[in-house]
Amino acid sequence: MDKFSFGERLVQLGSLRQLTLGSFVLALIPLIALLWQSQSDLAKVGKMTTLETRFVVDVVGDMQRLDGAATDLERSIRQFVVIRNEKVASLSDNALEKFAVAADNLCQALSIPNTCEQLSDQLTQLAEYRSIEDQLLLNAYLASVSHSVAQLRDDVEHVIAERVQLQQDDLNAMQAKQAWSTAMLVSVSLLLILLGSQLIVNPVNKLKQIIRNVAHQKGELPPLSRRAPRELIDVERDLHWLHDRLQQLEHIRTALLRHAAHELKTPLASIKEGCSLLSENVVGELNSSQQEVLSLLSGSTQRLNTLVEKLLDYNLLLQQAQPKIVETNPKKLLDACLEDYALALQEREVIVEVDVAMIRADEELFRRILDNLVSNAVAHGALGRPINVRIYQQGKQAVVDVANRGKRIAAESVPTLFEPFTRGAEPRNDNVIGTGLGLSIVADCARLMHGDVSVVDVDYADVCFRVTIPQQEK
């Protein structure tokens, strides 16, 4: 027993609060991972942008310095050609050195060996400017250097464009990765949220099923859950206890009604037999006073017999838990019902207007509904005014309307009208004391067929009871 209890505690999911918080934290893990990845990618983008920006600034600066050195070099060499003294030569050498340094820095940054080697050769040739006497040759050397500088400028633009395109490709790839990661991690997070909510929804749905079973008395309840929050397991355990308690009370009530009705039958039969013997003057002639007392006694006996029959009928109804829904001809059942009340209808000069259609229902339960509603209409209907019985289909429901003319039902009486042993405030027309079970039997019969009964307003009658019965598929 201890091992079982320990194992049961292991498979439980903890309290509802723990499950909710745990599910929330678990669902946040993918989002936290996504946030971390976003921050990491953002840092990479920032670092890459900084490096590329610095590279572009340095290269553009080197290119500008190279352009300035090329201009100074050409100007100083041309001045030397005109003046030809050592001071100008010194300036030319200094300009040549600056140009070589600027070209070397730019070539190291760009890594373009062909143009740089060509420019280096040209600088070597130009370094001999003191010994060059031919002006055309010197102009050619200077032109070739200018052309190489222009080529370097084009190479700089090309390298910058390539670096920008590479950076754009990296950003696109990073963006695609971010989108894919976002979709995956958000999906995982949603899946975890659904999983966590399902751990709560499943026990709640089971509780709803148990409540429906208890309400409709649908046999045994499902076994107690072992994998559910503790609070929901406690509620489920309480519902099981409530179901058992209701069954006990139902058995007690059924047994009480059965035994009470059975025990009343025997003395009632003796009283009726005695009244019959007295009315037939078997024990001697009765005077008028004795006959009056005997008449009162016979009437009370008849009312008591009606009460016992209603109790037996109600007890039998309580024992019928599973209705048999079949294709039913309500016209046949209604004719049989009206035949039982033919004398009462004839005495009160009441006609019954009938409009029926085929429906699906339990014939026994449906006959009890008709019997009690017609009996109630006869007892409370106005003298000489018709009773309307309409049975028709409305959507996926069969509707039974039994309407009569007479005194309307007070609004405050409607909520308790269908409770057992509750009689309406309006007096009956047949001077019979009602048992308060007729409309309760109608409500229970409708409930057993998953239907309902209510009092509705119609334009052709003062009182109308409406029974709705869902129509199941064949």
Side-chain angles (χ1 to χ4, degrees):
M1 185 68 179
D2 293 337
K3 292 182 178 179
F4 176 76
S5 300
F6 177 73
E8 186 175 356
R9 286 196 298 269
L10 284 179
V11 298
Q12 285 185 358
L13 297 175
S15 67
L16 190 59
R17 178 180 297 176
Q18 291 174 350
L19 178 60
T20 303
L21 292 177
S23 301
F24 180 73
V25 172
L26 191 63
L28 281 181
I29 291 177
L31 298 180
I32 293 174
L34 178 61
L35 180 61
W36 175 82
Q37 183 180 354
S38 299
Q39 291 295 329
S40 177
D41 291 343
L42 185 61
K44 290 180 180 178
V45 170
K47 184 178 179 180
M48 181 173 60
T49 302
T50 301
L51 293 176
E52 293 299 324
T53 302
R54 182 169 295 276
F55 172 79
V56 171
V57 171
D58 292 342
V59 168
V60 171
D62 290 340
M63 191 66 230
Q64 289 177 348
R65 285 189 290 272
L66 183 63
D67 286 338
T71 302
D72 293 341
L73 176 62
E74 184 176 359
R75 184 174 59 251
S76 62
I77 289 177
R78 290 191 182 277
Q79 288 177 354
F80 175 79
V81 171
V82 175
I83 301 176
R84 287 189 177 272
N85 59 26
E86 287 300 323
K87 186 176 181 179
V88 177
S90 176
L91 292 176
S92 298
D93 291 340
N94 189 27
L96 188 62
E97 183 179 357
K98 287 182 178 180
F99 182 85
V101 171
D104 185 63
N105 292 335
L106 188 60
C107 288
Q108 289 181 2
L110 296 180
S111 298
I112 43 177
N114 294 332
T115 306
C116 291
E117 290 178 359
Q118 181 180 356
L119 183 60
S120 178
D121 295 339
Q122 292 170 353
L123 288 177
T124 302
Q125 294 175 351
L126 193 61
E128 303 296 332
Y129 66 91
R130 288 184 176 88
S131 59
I132 299 176
E133 298 294 338
D134 189 354
Q135 184 66 30
L136 294 178
L137 180 60
L138 182 61
N139 290 337
Y141 285 163
L142 291 175
S144 63
V145 170
S146 298
H147 181 269
S148 296
V149 170
Q151 181 65 37
L152 278 176
R153 190 179 297 108
D154 293 339
D155 291 340
V156 167
E157 293 178 356
H158 180 70
V159 168
I160 291 176
E162 285 185 347
R163 296 292 288 263
V164 170
Q165 184 61 41
L166 182 62
Q167 184 178 10
Q168 185 64 41
D169 293 341
D170 291 341
L171 289 176
N172 291 337
M174 193 175 298
Q175 186 177 6
K177 177 185 175 183
Q178 187 71 21
W180 177 82
S181 300
T182 300
M184 184 186 69
L185 293 177
V186 169
S187 300
V188 172
S189 181
L190 290 176
L191 183 62
L192 292 175
I193 292 174
L194 291 176
L195 178 61
S197 63
Q198 199 66 29
L199 293 177
I200 299 176
V201 170
N202 286 339
V204 171
N205 288 335
K206 188 175 181 181
L207 291 178
K208 292 171 62 178
Q209 179 185 358
I210 293 175
I211 292 173
R212 286 195 296 267
N213 290 349
V214 171
H216 297 289
Q217 301 178 359
K218 292 183 178 179
E220 295 295 328
L221 300 182
L224 282 172
S225 300
R226 298 180 59 188
R227 292 184 58 83
R230 285 196 297 268
E231 293 87 349
L232 298 183
I233 290 180
D234 292 339
V235 174
E236 188 176 343
R237 187 178 292 110
D238 292 341
L239 288 175
H240 275 260
W241 175 85
L242 177 62
H243 177 258
D244 295 337
R245 183 61 177 166
L246 289 176
Q247 283 190 330
Q248 292 176 1
L249 295 176
E250 189 69 21
H251 291 327
I252 293 173
R253 182 175 69 162
T254 304
L256 177 62
L257 289 174
R258 183 173 63 250
H259 290 301
H262 182 268
E263 293 299 326
L264 286 173
K265 274 290 187 178
T266 301
L268 182 59
S270 299
I271 294 174
K272 290 179 64 177
E273 183 64 23
C275 291
S276 177
L277 292 176
L278 290 175
S279 64
E280 293 176 0
N281 298 323
V282 175
V283 295
E285 294 289 336
L286 301 178
N287 57 35
S288 58
S289 298
Q290 291 173 336
Q291 288 179 351
E292 183 179 356
V293 172
L294 179 61
S295 176
L296 295 175
L297 182 62
S298 298
S300 298
T301 303
Q302 183 61 36
R303 288 195 296 272
L304 181 59
N305 183 68
T306 302
L307 175 60
V308 172
E309 289 179 353
K310 289 291 185 180
L311 284 174
L312 289 173
D313 192 36
Y314 188 61
N315 182 58
L316 182 62
L317 175 64
L318 293 177
Q319 296 176 0
Q320 182 174 356
Q322 295 296 331
K324 298 179 181 178
I325 306 298
V326 296
E327 192 76 23
T328 302
N329 184 0
K331 182 67 167 60
K332 179 180 178 181
L333 298 178
L334 183 59
D335 290 342
C337 177
L338 294 178
E339 185 177 350
D340 293 340
Y341 292 95
L343 293 178
L345 294 171
Q346 183 178 359
E347 180 182 357
R348 298 189 55 78
E349 300 178 355
V350 174
I351 62 173
V352 180
E353 298 178 358
V354 178
D355 182 13
V356 299
M358 295 293 292
I359 63 171
R360 291 179 59 81
D362 183 287
E363 292 188 353
E364 180 64 25
L365 295 177
F366 191 74
R367 171 59 194 273
R368 291 180 184 177
I369 290 175
L370 293 177
D371 182 72
N372 284 281
L373 289 181
V374 171
S375 173
N376 185 78
V378 172
H380 295 280
L383 180 66
R385 302 296 302 278
I387 296 174
N388 296 88
V389 179
R390 298 181 60 217
I391 304 173
Y392 56 94
Q393 295 271 357
Q394 189 175 51
K396 295 184 178 180
Q397 289 185 331
V399 181
V400 181
D401 286 346
V402 179
N404 63 271
R405 283 75 175 170
K407 189 174 181 180
R408 293 182 178 273
I409 300 175
E412 58 271 13
S413 302
V414 174
T416 60
L417 199 60
F418 301 100
E419 296 181 0
F421 306 104
T422 301
R423 296 193 300 268
E426 295 77 12
R428 294 170 62 96
N429 297 323
D430 52 6
N431 297 321
V432 175
I433 299 177
T435 62
L437 286 173
L439 294 179
S440 174
I441 291 175
V442 172
D444 287 336
C445 289
R447 176 183 55 80
L448 288 173
M449 292 186 289
H450 308 291
D452 192 18
V453 60
S454 59
V455 180
V456 297
D457 293 329
V458 293
D459 55 1
Y460 58 86
D462 298 316
V463 178
C464 180
F465 289 92
R466 174 168 295 173
V467 178
T468 57
I469 304 173
Q471 297 298 279
Q472 302 176 357
E473 297 293 336
K474 296 182 180 180

